[in-house]
Amino acid sequence: MPKNGRDRLRELLDAVLHEDNATLGDMAAGAYISPFHFARQFTRGTGESPVALRRRVLLERAAWELSSGGSVTEVAFAAGYDSVEGFSRAFSKAYGHPPSATTEDRRRRWLVAANGIHFHPPMSLWVARTPKGRSDMDPTTLLLHHDVDDTRELLAAAGALTDEQYRRVRIPNFTVESFQSKEESIAAVLAHLIETKEMWLASIDGADMPGERGDDLSGLVKRHERVAARWLDTVREIDLRGGWGDTLIDALCDPPESFVIGSVIAHVLGYSAHRRYLVRHWIRTELPSTADELGDGDPIAWLQRRG
């Protein structure tokens, strides 16, 4: 702390997060400094621009408010957005699921930040120790969000299939994982895409395993939105506490088995990619007109489309 007792970085943070300071000019005026010097000092101290940090922290607050029962409209305007549509786009891009899919749980809904500065309810900040150089462009984060978005696109594309095309046996007796049931059709592979995350989340949370829930397409779409939100939140929480090397002992297995958490996430992402490329090939075979729209499932092309 400076000798005069002032915490200049805290003063800058206060200016950034003050409810009335929506622009860089407002923030700088609140700190009694020019916008240029304000932005330079703040970025040097936090590694993040004032506008970017404010936007991120307000999105984290919005996620908490939504999980606490707040309406999307009220939360959107409280976060400083001019429209619900603009808020929904920003929220979906940040969290990988729309605001309406935010579920109630006890986890912090933090986004990746190299400075470790996050929203802490009800109206505070939390400064966490964060690995140096972390970015939302790291491969794990990209693969996680690509997997969720790509599955959503495939489910939407499958809606153009007839029921016969959706359920047709394509490779008799085919299994993706030896301990899973057969995945001979588009319906079965899409169901396993979602069921796998549901099962592993149940193990991580210590909850009961989900029972047989069918492969009806409209049901799969709803299940995907629910499980995607929980999946991204769970992995984000594991990453923030540095829990990749933690061991999960699954007592529901017979006999009980232990799994390293990092290997569980890699397992889900690996088999998910296999299933997604398989379904993509089958859908493009049935509906050649969708080839350009579906693309090759390339994370590079996906990120370019997201901007």
Side-chain angles (χ1 to χ4, degrees):
M1 180 178 289
K3 292 181 179 180
N4 62 4
R6 296 177 62 198
D7 184 341
R8 186 54 175 163
L9 180 57
R10 178 53 200 256
E11 291 176 0
L12 298 179
L13 279 168
D14 288 343
V16 167
L17 297 175
H18 193 283
E19 290 291 337
D20 296 331
N21 294 347
T23 68
L24 179 60
D26 294 335
M27 299 173 195
Y32 305 101
I33 190 175
S34 73
F36 172 79
H37 287 95
F38 178 87
R40 186 172 66 174
Q41 286 186 23
F42 188 89
T43 304
R44 186 170 57 205
T46 67
E48 192 172 12
S49 75
V51 173
L53 186 140
R54 177 182 172 85
R55 181 168 54 240
R56 177 177 59 76
V57 170
L58 289 181
L59 281 174
E60 291 177 345
R61 186 183 73 176
W64 174 74
E65 290 173 336
L66 289 167
S67 69
S68 301
S71 74
V72 174
T73 300
E74 292 174 348
V75 171
F77 289 114
Y81 287 83
D82 294 329
S83 68
V84 173
E85 292 74 17
F87 169 72
S88 295
R89 285 194 299 270
F91 190 94
S92 299
K93 183 176 180 179
Y95 282 97
H97 59 81
S100 57
T102 303
T103 56
E104 181 180 356
D105 58 36
R106 295 186 298 275
R107 297 186 186 92
R108 297 188 184 100
R109 298 179 176 277
W110 289 346
L111 297 168
V112 174
N115 51 40
I117 299 171
H118 299 280
F119 169 76
H120 183 62
M123 294 299 291
S124 305
L125 287 179
W126 184 288
V127 182
R129 289 188 61 192
T130 307
K132 185 177 181 180
R134 283 305 309 274
S135 164
D136 59 0
M137 292 294 109
D138 74 272
T140 301
T141 302
L142 290 176
L143 287 172
L144 284 162
H145 284 268
H146 174 243
D147 172 48
V148 166
D149 282 356
D150 199 42
T151 300
R152 185 178 292 118
E153 288 186 21
L154 291 170
L155 288 166
L161 298 169
T162 65
D163 190 64
E164 189 279 329
Q165 291 172 323
Y166 181 60
R167 301 186 181 280
R168 182 188 307 159
V169 172
R170 300 183 182 267
I171 306 179
N173 299 314
F174 178 71
T175 57
V176 174
E177 300 175 76
S178 59
F179 58 87
Q180 293 278 24
S181 58
K182 297 175 183 177
E183 301 184 45
E184 304 169 312
S185 65
I186 291 173
V189 176
L190 286 174
H192 276 82
L193 255 176
I194 296 160
E195 181 182 292
T196 297
K197 292 185 179 71
E198 292 173 334
M199 291 175 60
W200 279 111
L201 282 173
S203 293
I204 292 171
D205 293 340
D208 293 335
M209 284 291 174
E212 179 61 41
R213 305 178 68 180
D215 57 14
D216 174 72
L217 187 58
S218 62
L220 291 181
V221 170
K222 294 176 183 177
R223 284 168 59 192
H224 173 67
E225 292 305 324
R226 289 195 297 269
V227 79
R230 290 178 55 220
W231 176 248
L232 292 173
D233 285 344
T234 296
V235 177
R236 185 180 299 113
E237 188 270 339
I238 291 169
D239 185 35
L240 286 167
R241 64 179 171 79
W244 294 112
D246 291 356
T247 299
L248 165 69
I249 300 176
D250 191 344
L252 297 178
C253 294
D254 188 17
E257 293 188 55
S258 61
F259 307 94
V260 175
I261 288 292
S263 71
V264 169
I265 308 306
H267 166 92
V268 174
L269 288 176
Y271 279 105
S272 180
H274 178 70
R275 289 185 171 105
R276 286 187 285 104
Y277 289 121
L278 181 62
V279 165
R280 175 174 269 97
H281 170 70
W282 286 345
I283 292 178
R284 290 174 62 170
T285 299
E286 289 291 346
L287 304 171
S289 61
T290 66
D292 290 340
E293 183 179 352
L294 274 180
D296 299 322
D298 184 355
I300 293 176
W302 162 78
L303 186 61
Q304 289 172 338
R305 290 200 307 274
R306 289 184 89 206

